Amino acid sequence: AQNFTVDEGCPVDLHWRCFSQWIAFEPSFDELWSRRTTLEPEGFKAWPTLGPADTVIFLALHGAQDGWTRLKAMLDLTLALE
């Protein structure tokens, strides 16, 4: 992963793979793209992102991989499940 901060101060956590190399399950890009959704936050340009189910899977695996050591990981997953 690579972390960036854009001019407006919004942090971006860019991943080259959706799932860890240690996870045997990895859907193809085409599968993920077919289930994508679009985020359109006020004041920002819209962008495509993972669909709801893929987001929950990604956040759960990402949090587990890191041992749930960061409160942010738990909060992100909680919000995705709402």
Side-chain angles (χ1 to χ4, degrees), residues 14-72:
L14 180 64
H15 287 253
W16 306 113
R17 297 174 54 125
C18 283
F19 303 103
S20 169
Q21 63 189 13
W22 312 114
I23 305 295
F25 167 75
E26 173 114 31
S28 71
F29 174 82
D30 291 334
E31 288 177 273
L32 293 171
W33 191 251
S34 72
R35 297 189 297 258
R36 74 189 180 279
T37 190
T38 301
L39 293 178
E40 300 181 50
E42 188 174 327
F44 292 90
K45 183 178 179 182
W47 68 84
T49 190
L50 293 173
D54 293 319
T55 296
V56 168
I57 292 168
F58 170 79
L59 292 171
L61 290 173
H62 193 100
Q65 174 183 311
D66 295 341
W68 298 106
T69 57
R70 297 171 56 195
L71 183 59
K72 179 187 179 309

Side-chain angles (χ1 to χ4, degrees), residues 51-57 59-60 73-82:
D54 293 319
T55 296
V56 168
I57 292 168
L59 292 171
M74 290 182 239
L75 177 60
D76 287 345
L77 181 57
T78 301
L79 293 172
L81 288 168
E82 287 186 344

